[in-house]
Amino acid sequence: MDRSPPLPGPDEVRGPRCLSDPLINKGTAYTRDERVRLGIEAMLPPRVEALDEQAARVLVRVRGKTSPLEKYLYLSALRAENETLFCRVVLDHLEEMLPIIYTPTVGEACLEWSSIYERPRGLYISAVQHRGRIAQLLRNWPRSRVGIIVVTDGGRILGLGDLGANGMGIPIGKLALYTLCAGVPPELCLPVALDVGTDNEPLRCDPHYLGERERRMTAEPWDALLEEFLAATQAVFPGAIVQFEDFNTACAFRLLQRYRDSLCCFNDDVQGTGAMGLAGLYTAGRITGRKLSGQRILFVGAGEACLGIGNIVVAAMQREGWSEAEAKQRCLFVDSQGLVIAGRKDLPGHKRPFAQDRGPLPDLSAAIENFKPTALIGASGKGGLFTESVLRAMARLNERPIVFALSNPTSKAECTAGQAYAWTDGRAVFASGSPFDPVPFGGRVHAPGQGNNSFVFPGVGLGLLICGARRVTDEMFFAAAQALAAQISEADLEQGRIFPVASRMREVAAQVAAAVAAVAYAQDHATKPRPLDLRAEAARVMYEPRYA
Ligand code: NAD
């Protein structure tokens, strides 16, 4: 019998590249035959491992690291070597791993980015060096097809402010979630940091800072750079979806307004967070027994996240019978300068539509006494704003006060889960942007939900991909919110959980994707033939980390 291994196929990659391309590399899982055939014999230790055995070994290493940042670095190194193995380990332990590869650890990684930087991933487009040549530079990307681009200019990274080029951790982290949570193949994902300078002076003065040491570009030159970048994305990767991520507020709203009708683009901080917030209010309403139209919502923060939730909530309340003006009266916003009211001269255009005709109030507690909210939603980027007196006031006014502390990372949460339950006598219906452990209080264990747009954007992206959408519409995010809310069972609600557990991310993403694609077909924004069963199609195309 001929025992010689089969000859390599005509397109098969051979030699050391088998070990250096993370999308191909199997490491110790290459069989003996493969090692001979591909010319990599003796380049690996003798024993052949199965993927599961490799994953078990990696897990021991990750768990052995003492800090979350060390775990992040180890997993990043693994990913640069073997994407399949990285995805297998993280996907099989999502609840444990998401806080490491995403919030809160990704925030720490961005703060330290220049000092922990080890290897290239994604594209850094510099306003100083690359203006006028962006299309040419996008062609440096080693993959010819790109489905989703996540781009930031580092203007407002999580609640950590302007981090310039150090913001790259966010597009990388978001795209990891696309792959892990919605099965978008890693080779279709392109993270981009647009380095337009930074107004973060300590960063500019940091000798290790790796970005341009310029003040942040603004106004017309910034607009022109974005115009060039977006045109280049479509010239080089036609039809690629563009997700705007962690731009500062004014830029974010301007970008969305300018490009939403001409590109397949969306802003996750505004629209994704909006859909997540609406889903949370729907499920919280099942506990409090109050429909959305019966809620009075006090938003603490009037930036991308809170206004994003406000916009979709007003549209949803209109579906329940209120006029737009009536719905807006049920949403009151507080920002760093106080109540968002018509009398204020400093209000930028994106806050004006929510300015109410009422007088100023001295603080948050006064706003609660005066407005009598049923729900308190914080996305201010300021940790600890929900003090004991604020939460006790909410508990006095409501049998089941809804409290969302959405700011990231954990240090910026408006309150902790423990505080939310303790200061409302265990009655709060609570969710937070970054995860908190279950809290024992009053003889039962409360399971806080993670109110994070990671339940929305991966499924939205997958939905847009499966139908080949040309545009992203508000109706798609409304459908995404409904699909997410429908994932919460009565058993979840009994534990006080109003968002799914992280381990169900893929199931949720398939439902969200199907809902989004259905809207695209109904609104005639789809370019691919409609599959019979959208949910099944979403599940079918999901990337599974296993070796070819
Ligand atoms: P942003 O900069 O656009 O808005 C922040 C808002 O908070 C501004 O209106 C500001 O005036 C207000 N603010 C600041 N200090 C305040 C104070 N003391 N009292 C009241 N308001 C105050 O930022 P953003 O994009 O809206 O994000 C805000 C936070 O929400 C960040 O921490 C971000 O990580 C988080 N976020 C969470 C999610 C999620 O899915 N959980 C999604 C998006 C954003």
Side-chain angles (χ1 to χ4, degrees):
M1 195 168 63
D2 180 9
R3 296 180 70 89
S4 60
L7 293 171
D11 296 329
E12 196 163 47
V13 173
R14 299 187 78 246
R17 216 194 111 198
C18 299
L19 298 169
S20 63
D21 183 337
L23 294 182
I24 299 173
N25 187 15
K26 301 184 188 180
T28 52
Y30 280 116
T31 63
R32 288 184 190 183
D33 282 357
E34 283 173 327
R35 295 176 193 201
V36 174
R37 194 176 81 225
L38 301 173
I40 53 171
E41 246 190 320
M43 294 181 77
L44 293 161
R47 185 165 155 230
V48 174
E49 286 181 303
L51 178 56
D52 285 349
E53 291 174 297
Q54 291 178 307
R57 201 158 44 79
V58 164
L59 196 60
V60 172
R61 287 291 304 280
V62 179
R63 288 180 177 162
K65 304 279 170 199
T66 47
S67 76
L69 189 59
E70 279 182 37
K71 293 181 189 200
Y72 176 91
L73 290 172
Y74 175 73
L75 285 169
S76 301
L78 172 69
R79 191 177 180 200
E81 206 175 285
N82 185 333
E83 183 89 32
T84 314
L85 181 52
F86 164 84
C87 289
R88 186 75 273 154
V89 173
V90 178
L91 193 54
D92 288 348
H93 304 87
L94 261 187
E95 266 173 87
E96 179 182 349
M97 299 294 167
L98 279 185
I100 298 168
I101 61 160
Y102 187 52
T103 183
T105 311
V106 70
E108 206 182 332
C110 287
L111 288 170
E112 304 287 329
W113 197 256
S114 288
S115 46
I116 62 175
Y117 179 85
E118 281 172 351
R119 61 185 66 77
R121 177 173 279 273
L123 292 177
Y124 293 82
I125 307 282
S126 153
V128 178
Q129 301 175 44
H130 304 145
R131 222 175 324 171
R133 301 190 289 130
I134 298 179
Q136 181 193 333
L137 299 176
L138 291 185
R139 291 194 180 92
N140 286 349
W141 185 244
R143 322 262 166 221
S144 55
R145 279 185 60 217
V146 165
I148 303 184
I149 297 169
V150 176
V151 57
T152 186
D153 78 344
R156 196 277 296 134
I157 293 298
L158 301 172
L160 304 168
D162 178 353
L163 295 186
N166 282 3
M168 181 55 125
I170 295 296
I172 290 175
K174 290 270 170 173
L175 284 162
L177 263 58
Y178 269 110
T179 297
L180 295 160
C181 302
V184 174
E187 64 270 22
L188 294 185
C189 299
L190 169 57
V192 176
L194 285 180
D195 186 346
V196 295
T198 174
D199 287 341
N200 183 333
E201 202 179 334
L203 206 56
R204 282 203 313 268
C205 300
D206 176 352
H208 299 301
Y209 180 54
L210 292 171
E212 299 287 2
R213 288 161 195 280
E214 304 280 324
R215 287 199 149 279
R216 181 164 281 276
M217 176 190 258
T218 56
E220 201 281 322
W222 188 92
D223 286 354
L225 187 86
L226 263 294
E227 177 75 30
E228 184 192 341
F229 169 71
L230 292 170
T233 62
Q234 301 308 302
V236 180
F237 306 117
I241 300 157
V242 179
Q243 176 179 322
F244 301 122
E245 188 63 40
D246 284 7
F247 284 78
N248 75 37
T249 321
C251 295
F253 283 103
R254 209 165 71 231
L255 265 181
L256 191 58
Q257 228 29 60
R258 189 148 168 200
Y259 292 104
R260 60 178 303 160
D261 295 328
S262 55
L263 269 186
C264 187
C265 66
F266 67 98
N267 181 308
D268 179 46
D269 301 302
V270 179
Q271 296 162 292
T273 310
M276 174 278 293
L278 177 61
L281 287 166
Y282 279 143
T283 45
R286 283 163 61 191
I287 295 179
T288 65
R290 202 188 287 265
K291 282 173 70 174
L292 181 74
S293 53
Q295 305 287 358
R296 296 171 62 77
I297 306 165
L298 182 60
F299 290 93
V300 182
E304 293 167 65
C306 283
L307 292 175
I309 302 173
N311 280 330
I312 196 168
V313 160
V314 164
M317 282 184 173
Q318 286 175 259
R319 289 174 186 244
E320 290 186 14
W322 293 119
S323 68
E324 184 183 339
E326 287 165 336
K328 281 185 174 161
Q329 284 304 309
R330 305 186 79 85
C331 298
L332 181 62
F333 290 77
V334 181
D335 69 8
S336 58
Q337 306 304 310
L339 284 191
V340 174
I341 46 176
R344 266 175 60 182
K345 298 278 175 282
D346 62 330
L347 282 186
H350 54 269
K351 295 186 186 179
R352 286 233 153 262
F354 283 100
Q356 290 203 10
D357 263 327
R358 49 168 73 227
L361 290 165
D363 54 27
L364 195 50
S365 295
I368 290 173
E369 298 304 339
N370 187 278
F371 184 63
K372 304 201 176 357
T374 55
L376 183 65
I377 299 185
S380 61
K382 292 280 174 299
L385 284 184
F386 295 172
T387 58
E388 180 165 0
S389 65
V390 162
L391 290 179
R392 290 214 181 275
M394 284 299 291
R396 191 164 24 79
L397 292 167
N398 298 283
E399 180 54 37
R400 300 299 308 267
I402 298 172
V403 178
F404 294 173
L406 299 180
S407 289
N408 297 318
T410 317
S411 59
K412 305 289 179 187
E414 284 76 10
C415 65
T416 65
Q419 291 166 338
Y421 297 120
W423 294 338
T424 60
D425 312 316
R427 289 183 280 123
V429 181
F430 177 76
S432 55
S434 295
F436 282 104
D437 288 335
V439 178
F441 184 88
R444 54 175 290 217
V445 175
H446 301 260
Q450 190 179 358
N452 196 288
N453 50 26
S454 55
F455 282 114
V456 175
F457 72 82
V460 169
L462 180 66
L464 298 171
L465 281 175
I466 59 178
C467 68
R470 279 183 295 244
R471 298 288 175 270
V472 191
T473 64
D474 289 342
E475 289 74 14
M476 293 177 188
F477 282 97
F478 184 73
Q482 287 182 310
L484 171 55
Q487 292 304 301
I488 295 299
S489 65
E490 290 305 314
D492 288 321
L493 295 179
E494 269 161 34
Q495 293 176 54
R497 185 181 288 118
I498 56 168
F499 287 99
V501 288
S503 54
R504 292 192 54 228
M505 282 277 192
R506 281 204 162 193
E507 226 174 300
V508 172
Q511 298 289 356
V512 169
V516 166
V519 174
Y521 285 106
Q523 292 187 322
D524 204 19
H525 288 308
T527 58
K528 292 186 183 168
R530 184 182 173 126
L532 274 180
D533 181 339
L534 288 170
R535 157 78 187 70
E537 178 65 5
R540 188 188 68 80
V541 300
M542 279 188 184
Y543 161 84
E544 264 301 320
R546 64 169 83 94
Y547 294 129

